[in-house]
Amino acid sequence: MLENVPRIIQAPMAGGPSTPELAAAVSDAGGLGFLAGGYLTTESLLGAVRAARALTHAPLGVNLFVPGPPAADVDAVAAYRERLVPHADLLGVRLPAVADLPWDDDDHYRAKIDALCALPAPPELVSFTFGLPGHDDVARLRALGTLTVATVTNEAEARAAVALDVDGICVQGPEAGGHRGTHDAAAAPDDRPLEDLLPAVIAALSEARRRPHITATGGIGTPRRVREVLELGADSAMAGTAYLRADEAGTNATHAAALATAGRDTLVTRAFTGRTARGLANTLALAVGSAAPAAYPAVHHLTRPLRAAAASAGDPERLHLWAGTNFAGARPAPAAAITRWLAGGTDAAIATVITDK
């Protein structure tokens, strides 16, 4: 079971921020570091696992995206493409034709499961988001000694996860940065704050045959917030945005600079991928976000060249700037120092860490 899982877990952040160096540093500091398998090829994921293993002997986690049914609203995506063209033109980018989008992209899910299971030293923990793994996947990983965790955003998802006999659930509140892990990409996500959602999920599982390990995530960026979710019944706390400016993170420079800019707020939008995600408010999200269809992964692939050009050009107004509600507290510091601070340091400790760098 998950009795020995550290109290502080570094969230897997796909698309660059999660690196082998970040995961290893967090695990070496007494937390649990995660590698984000989303958007990587199978070989790239294996390379990241090998690189992290070379840096630490401590346990590591890997997160996988569970594929859902492909979005089929071609007309809605085509209309959204037209809304994006002026933004793409400003960056000199041609958006892919709707007919050329990989509508059925499954993020190499099956190949990644097979590859992880074939490793001489599989990851100690594999977590799943956007949906639930198959029962056979859970049993196969458990036979190798790998623990499984499912991301959930409401009571129904939690009950379904526990019915699969996963070892743990990660209860994700709306304060979390990046994608909300709803199992139905088209559904409106639950907007109850984590302090209400977490007890409700715990209560819903009170009659379960076995209580899973419960991790809480969403807006967790201070030791006080960690203590609060543990007092509400969580066994561990997961922080993501708090690590975006860590020395070992792979956050691109445009994103990192925007996190340090005063005067921004966050919003939830489908503008960049078709899935609901929380990030810093910017021109593109505000201008076209309300028109974005719930068509993941088609919209993700549609906007990909635009986002890449924005990152290269240093344009934060057309880039997905994933960030949780605690983003203003993210600090440039070693990941180990952030981990130890979250685990029990005082609110002033992180300032000392930065001064001493």
Side-chain angles (χ1 to χ4, degrees), residues 218-235:
I220 295 175
T222 64
R224 178 180 298 175
R225 188 64 172 150
V226 170
R227 291 193 298 271
E228 288 172 351
V229 297
L230 295 179
E231 288 167 0
L232 286 172
D235 301 299

Side-chain angles (χ1 to χ4, degrees), residues 77-313:
V77 175
Y80 186 56
R81 183 185 185 279
E82 293 307 306
R83 299 286 296 268
L84 291 169
V85 167
H87 297 276
D89 287 346
L90 284 172
L91 291 167
V93 171
R94 180 171 179 79
L95 298 174
V98 171
D100 295 335
L101 296 172
W103 292 81
D104 58 351
D105 177 17
D106 67 355
D107 201 50
H108 314 289
Y109 174 78
R110 178 55 49 202
K112 289 174 181 176
I113 289 279
D114 291 343
L116 291 173
C117 288
L119 284 170
E124 284 74 15
L125 191 150
V126 172
S127 69
F128 301 87
T129 193
F130 297 169
L132 296 176
H135 186 275
D136 289 347
D137 296 332
V138 174
R140 188 178 175 193
L141 289 163
R142 177 171 291 137
L144 297 171
T146 296
L147 301 168
T148 55
V149 171
T151 304
V152 303
T153 64
N154 58 40
E155 295 93 325
E157 291 176 353
R159 291 191 192 98
V162 170
L164 275 176
D165 204 27
V166 294
D167 298 289
I169 60 171
C170 179
V171 182
Q172 185 197 41
E175 302 89 346
H179 285 111
R180 193 77 187 278
T182 50
H183 296 183
D184 180 356
D190 195 310
D191 62 0
R192 284 174 292 173
L194 183 61
E195 56 262 33
D196 294 335
L197 177 63
L198 178 59
V201 168
I202 292 173
L205 300 180
S206 61
E207 309 230 342
R209 176 179 61 84
R210 174 177 66 81
R211 184 190 190 276
H213 181 100
I214 295 174
T215 300
T217 190
I220 295 175
T222 64
R224 178 180 298 175
R225 188 64 172 150
V226 170
R227 291 193 298 271
E228 288 172 351
V229 297
L230 295 179
E231 288 167 0
L232 286 172
D235 301 299
S236 57
M238 177 181 283
T241 302
Y243 287 103
L244 279 174
R245 298 179 67 196
D247 295 350
E248 299 87 349
T251 311
N252 73 66
T254 305
H255 188 178
L259 291 168
T261 302
R264 287 189 182 271
D265 200 355
T266 65
L267 52 66
V268 175
T269 182
R270 296 184 187 270
F272 298 98
T273 68
R275 262 191 169 273
T276 54
R278 183 176 292 280
L280 300 181
N282 63 7
T283 297
L284 190 141
L286 292 170
V288 304
S290 62
Y296 179 89
V299 173
H300 162 72
H301 289 290
L302 175 65
T303 67
R304 197 168 192 170
L306 189 159
R307 291 180 282 127
S312 296

